[in-house]
Amino acid sequence: MNQPLEVLEQATRHRYHVPARADLLPDEEPVRLLSPDGTLTQDERYPLDLDDHDLQQLYRYMVLGRRLDDESIKLQRQGQLAVYTSCLGQEGAQVGSAYALRRDDWIFPSYREHAVARVRDVDPVRLLHHSRGTWVSAHDPREWRFASQAVSIGTQIIQAAGLATAAQFAEDDIVVMTYFGDGATSEGVTHEGMNWASVFQAPIVFFCQNNGWAISVPVSRQLAAPTIAHRGIAYGMPGIRVDGNDVLASYAVSRVAVDRARSGGGPTLIEALTYRMEAHSTADDPTRYRGGDELAFWSAQDPLERYQLFLSARGLLDDAFVAEVAQESADMCARVRSEIYDAPHGDPAELFEHVYEGVPAHLAAQRAQLQGEIAAARGDAS
């Protein structure tokens, strides 16, 4: 006897724990708790559980991230860093989301999560050695539970999904959050990571910072779906859009997703709408592909200025606290400058180590060629 299609569909969903489509559809209107003038409007779906100390910490991390960003660009312009990728304008999305994690949760960043690293308190000097070309990254990922910065677009996503699944198998009570930009959602490895995590219901949050541009390609030319968050439907995970320039909304939405993952509810895709105020990297000239009007619009949405208005209205941003954070930022940057400036490089031939137990003949030949060219450049006698 034939059963109605809807009965079969319901039975299948129950058997395989497939969520109802209606539960996965994201609102196109992003979640926002702070208006541009700093007025707070609570959303019962995403409650805030932050006390005054927490609220001040969010400000502190945003300032540290922005000050370090400025110092890093100066170091690159002075020839001390090979390249640098700014997070200016994205501090609200990064700080709010990272603050929703526990210290033992893992973070898998791309190459732009400098404000996330401030929340995790990763030594900025060690991270900037990545930009200097000293080494892939001089920090110990296990110590900070902050994976190596990924330059190859999207590769960190599948690595994060793998670690989250492993933690699930080991019954380790952690959550993984991985960061990426809108451009990464066009990469195949992103599909693999999201599909894998959904099939295994891994404890992971996919945090996409939609900053409008994949280098010079606008979002409008990157996808045909209504929003990036809608892509979660294909993987059976909820997608949530949030105002990424609202640090409180970014925190509250992330906290719900983190709690859901930790309780066995599976992955969530968060699309944080923000804007890259600087160039894609210090090797890029954004004036060649975006207009000044766009930059002016987003400048008025500055996440730090909005949050300062909120804190001031609450009496949490007095002169003494502002000065304290400014001094901490200045001390951090002074140490970064003193330890990065003219820091020695390692042996470039180390590039050929740590992959094979025995270096293959073709790589040995390349290593010899590199060593010869370095010796010639130095004027060494042959």
Side-chain angles (χ1 to χ4, degrees):
M1 178 176 160
N2 292 331
Q3 298 185 56
L5 183 60
E6 59 269 24
V7 173
L8 289 173
E9 183 177 343
Q10 289 177 6
T12 300
R13 290 184 181 282
H14 177 73
R15 180 179 180 186
Y16 295 106
H17 307 291
V18 178
R21 286 188 293 269
D23 295 337
L24 300 176
L25 276 174
D27 291 333
E28 293 193 32
E29 188 67 27
V31 178
R32 171 184 281 183
L33 302 184
L34 282 183
S35 63
D37 66 359
T39 301
L40 175 65
T41 303
Q42 297 273 11
D43 186 330
E44 62 180 12
R45 298 172 300 169
Y46 305 104
L48 281 176
D49 57 355
L50 303 174
D51 60 22
D52 288 351
H53 174 74
D54 292 321
L55 295 173
Q56 289 186 317
Q57 286 294 95
L58 294 178
Y59 168 81
R60 171 175 166 258
Y61 291 130
M62 291 173 74
V63 172
L64 287 171
R66 182 161 294 193
R67 183 69 181 83
L68 179 64
D69 207 70
D70 179 66
E71 188 67 33
S72 300
I73 291 175
K74 290 173 180 171
L75 283 168
Q76 195 282 328
R77 298 306 189 208
Q78 294 165 6
Q80 295 299 315
L81 302 179
V83 69
Y84 181 74
T85 49
S86 170
C87 69
L88 180 65
Q90 299 181 211
E91 299 92 342
Q94 295 194 9
V95 169
S97 56
Y99 204 77
L101 294 168
R102 289 191 330 212
R103 176 60 180 82
D104 60 342
D105 291 332
W106 268 87
I107 292 170
F108 279 74
S110 67
Y111 43 74
R112 200 184 298 280
E113 277 66 55
H114 311 296
V116 172
R118 291 307 91 238
V119 178
R120 187 48 61 94
D121 199 27
V122 186
D123 186 347
V125 174
R126 298 192 190 188
L127 289 178
L128 284 176
H129 275 303
H130 178 270
S131 299
R132 182 169 171 77
T134 310
W135 182 233
V136 175
S137 190
H139 80 288
D140 180 355
R142 290 185 178 85
E143 179 181 355
W144 279 283
R145 298 214 161 192
F146 188 90
S148 297
Q149 299 168 90
V151 175
S152 299
I153 303 301
T155 53
Q156 75 278 16
I157 295 171
I158 198 164
Q159 294 162 3
L163 190 142
T165 308
Q168 183 186 45
F169 288 170
E171 298 183 351
D172 189 356
D173 179 28
I174 65 161
V175 171
V176 177
M177 185 174 288
T178 182
Y179 291 86
F180 51 96
D182 42 277
T185 64
S186 300
E187 295 287 338
V189 72
T190 302
H191 162 71
E192 294 178 36
M194 290 188 179
N195 189 57
W196 174 278
S198 289
V199 167
F200 286 97
Q201 291 291 282
I204 183 170
V205 178
F206 297 96
F207 195 90
C208 175
Q209 293 169 85
N210 178 357
N211 66 17
W213 294 89
I215 307 184
S216 58
V217 180
V219 172
S220 59
R221 298 187 64 183
Q222 295 179 54
L223 74 161
T227 72
I228 290 174
H230 276 81
R231 288 184 165 176
I233 300 172
Y235 305 109
M237 73 172 82
I240 307 172
R241 303 190 94 203
V242 61
D243 181 346
N245 284 15
D246 177 349
V247 66
L248 295 183
S250 296
Y251 166 80
V253 167
S254 299
R255 182 58 189 269
V256 168
V258 167
D259 288 348
R260 179 174 181 274
R262 203 184 307 282
S263 64
T268 299
L269 170 60
I270 297 175
E271 178 188 4
L273 300 173
T274 182
Y275 192 71
R276 190 192 77 210
M277 301 294 292
E278 265 286 354
H280 170 74
S281 76
T282 47
D284 172 42
D285 177 9
T287 63
R288 298 180 62 182
Y289 54 82
R290 71 182 186 188
D293 292 347
E294 184 177 301
L295 186 61
F297 171 82
W298 282 98
S299 294
Q301 315 296 319
D302 184 276
L304 184 55
E305 291 181 8
R306 186 191 307 188
Y307 194 55
Q308 286 172 322
L309 292 171
F310 165 75
L311 289 180
S312 296
R314 285 209 164 199
L316 297 175
L317 198 65
D318 59 27
D319 292 343
F321 178 61
V322 170
E324 175 187 322
V325 175
Q327 186 60 54
E328 181 183 2
S329 301
D331 293 345
M332 173 190 67
C333 290
R335 186 176 72 83
V336 166
R337 174 165 287 274
S338 68
E339 296 186 23
I340 286 290
Y341 214 93
D342 288 341
H345 288 281
D347 181 1
E350 197 177 23
L351 172 70
F352 297 93
E353 299 180 6
H354 310 300
V355 177
Y356 296 96
E357 182 177 0
V359 179
H362 69 287
L363 291 181
Q366 292 178 23
R367 180 173 61 188
Q369 180 181 353
L370 173 64
Q371 290 171 328
E373 291 177 356
I374 291 173
R378 290 173 176 166
D380 296 348
S382 60

